């Protein structure tokens, strides 16, 4: 049997929590102490086939502690026994068995085991440190502090004492973050290379003072640029402070480790999504779903991300999968919103409307949902409901745009257009409402042609036979704004030229019929010729323009 060497001197080196005397286990213990238990478990299991003696005992001991952290007492018991068998002089096997005894409410047996471990190496201050943690995890804080005092009597300069004390303070009272941070700083004072102390201090300051937290992370990465727990903490710190693009950078390095829990895979994917790295999000989503096809968080992100990537067919499949897995009461308003958007893009308007209404039922304060619901009604050509919903949106939103006002006005315009001629009063009431909304656009953006153009359309609709020329000033203003902006919306110009050509043609015809003077007739004839010629410039085959010009030029 390979025997564990006795400590002939007391090292002032931070290994936390039991001295990692065997280089083969160092990386594994970095993971464990840094809060990466799943990765540590994989790492330690890989050591079982290569290590012997005390090094093997150490690997089994830490595996036992990991199992206890996961409330798997049977596996922990097996590991502690294997630790003792690997090296009968390895004291931490007894510490592990004592910890297990405490969890089974057998304190008397635990005390005997802890005492036996301490007697095996009276100069190893980490034995009472680990014993203190066992007591603390069982909420026996008085006993835990007694053990820490014993550790200080052996070697008050051992940084592991202060790391453990910080942990125990937080176990007893999470509000004492400042006191815990002070203990971690004490550990760093005694050992500038104590990596776990930097990470734990950063964790405490994560939501208290992000600058201090990031400084701690930077300091530990200066010591060891490959220290994975620091990258995990970097991700967590930025994530907790809503800095998702930067959190993704930390999580990315952490993802290189084995056995990353889904919790962090989810956070990484979420960070990528919020940072609009949709290709990266989908890549991580697919990796996680390959191992757990029913991961709700990733199914949700898959649906969201495929929509953002404009892959609407696959997004629909992902949405249907998501809603087949999630319980209805667990669905969030955002889920129904994205589902509505996806259904809308797949021309499934009735289902989209239903989804948006469910989203609003869950979160009526999200005013953008009103706009999206109204748009779905528009797609369905249900302009009455669209107008009602746009009205609610305008009433509740403080950030609606000119485009929103235009869409609202178009609903009333279409409502009027869809009525028959014998419903003149109702038709005109809709056109007047539309005109009032389009007027808001001309007032808010007087240099844009769109408001004048839609005013022209609404007024033309109220004067369908062009008897009074209600639309004339607005089509003229439309052309003025287009000319000033140097834009070239040909279809809009063609519409304006057609209207104005026809208006002046009618005035010309009336003047001729009433036998006005030639100069008076030319007042209408010449502009009519000019506008119809402009129509032919844009539309050379326009028969109406040709016929009008034949008459006007006689």
């Amino acid at each position: 049997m390979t025997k564990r060497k006795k400590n002939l001197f007391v090292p002032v080196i931070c290994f936390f929590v039991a001295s990692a005397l065997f280089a083969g286990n160092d990386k594994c213990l970095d993971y464990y102490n840094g809060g990466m238990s799943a990765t540590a478990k994989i790492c330690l299991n890989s050591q079982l086939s290569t290590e012997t003696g005390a090094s093997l005992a150490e690997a089994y001991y830490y595996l036992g502690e990991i199992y206890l952290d996961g409330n798997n007492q049977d596996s922990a018991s097996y590991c502690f026994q294997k630790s003792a068998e690997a090296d009968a002089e390895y004291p931490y096997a007894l510490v592990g068995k004592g910890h297990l005894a405490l969890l089974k409410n057998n304190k008397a047996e635990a005390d005997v085991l802890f005492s036996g471990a301490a007697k095996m190496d009276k100069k190893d201050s980490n034995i009472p440190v680990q014993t203190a943690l066992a007591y603390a995890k069982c909420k026996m804080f008085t006993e835990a502090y007694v053990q820490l005092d014993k550790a200080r009597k052996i070697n008050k300069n051992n940084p592991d004492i202060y790391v453990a004390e910080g942990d125990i303070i937080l176990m007893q009272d999470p509000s004492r973050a400042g006191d815990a941070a002070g203990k971690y700083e004490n550990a760093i004072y005694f050992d500038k290379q104590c990596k776990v102390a930097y990470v734990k201090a950063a964790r405490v300051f994560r939501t208290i003072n992000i600058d201090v937290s990031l400084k701690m992370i930077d300091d530990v990465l200066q010591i060891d640029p490959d220290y994975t727990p620091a990258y995990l903490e970097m991700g967590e710190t930025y994530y907790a402070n809503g800095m998702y693009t930067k959190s993704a950078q930390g999580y990315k390095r952490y993802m290189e480790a084995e056995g990353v829990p889904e919790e962090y895979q989810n956070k990484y994917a979420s960070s990528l999504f919020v940072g609009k790295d949709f290709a990266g999000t989908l890549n991580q989503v697919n990796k996680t779903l390959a191992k757990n096809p029913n991961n709700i968080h990733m199914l949700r992100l898959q649906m969201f991300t495929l929509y953002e990537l404009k892959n609407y067919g696959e997004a629909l499949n992902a949405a249907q999968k998501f809603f087949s897995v999630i319980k209805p009461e667990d669905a969030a308003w955002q889920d129904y919103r994205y589902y509505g958007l996806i259904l809308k893009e797949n021309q499934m308007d009735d289902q989209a409307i239903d989804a948006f209404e469910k989203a609003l039922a869950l979160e009526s304060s999200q005013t953008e949902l009103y706009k999206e619901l109204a748009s779905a009604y528009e797609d369905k050509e249900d302009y009455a409901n669209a107008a009602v919903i746009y009205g609610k949106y305008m009433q509740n939103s403080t950030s609606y745009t000119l485009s929103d006002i235009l869409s609202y006005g178009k609903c009333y315009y279409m409502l009027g257009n869809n009525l028959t001629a014998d419903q003149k009063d109702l038709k005109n009431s809709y056109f007047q409402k539309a005109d009032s909304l389009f007027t808001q656009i001309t007032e808010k953006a007087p240099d844009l042609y769109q408001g004048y153009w839609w005013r022209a359309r609404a007024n033309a609709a109220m004067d369908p036979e062009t008897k009074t020329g209600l639309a004339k000033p607005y089509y003229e203003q439309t052309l003025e704004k287009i000319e000033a902006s140097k834009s070239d919306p040909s279809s809009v110009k063609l519409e304006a030229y057609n209207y104005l050509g026809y208006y002046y043609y009618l005035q010309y015809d009336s003047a001729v019929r009433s036998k006005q003077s030639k100069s008076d007739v030319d007042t209408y004839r010449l502009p009519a010729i000019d506008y119809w010629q402009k129509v032919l410039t844009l539309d050379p085959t326009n028969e109406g323009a040709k016929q009008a010009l034949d008459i006007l030029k006689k």
Side-chain angles (χ1 to χ4, degrees), residues 26 94 104 152 162 164 217 228 252 282 285 311 351 372 406 441 528:
D26 282 356
L94 294 180
K104 292 182 176 181
R152 266 186 279 267
Y162 304 99
I217 293 168
T228 306
K252 182 179 180 180
L282 191 59
V285 163
N311 194 336
Q351 295 95 320
E372 289 161 349
L406 183 62
I441 298 174

Side-chain angles (χ1 to χ4, degrees), residues 507-508 511-512 515-525:
Q507 298 304 308
Y508 156 79
V512 170
K515 297 181 180 180
Q516 294 182 25
S517 67
K518 181 179 184 302
S519 62
D520 288 343
V521 169
D522 282 349
T523 302
Y524 306 114
R525 186 177 70 88

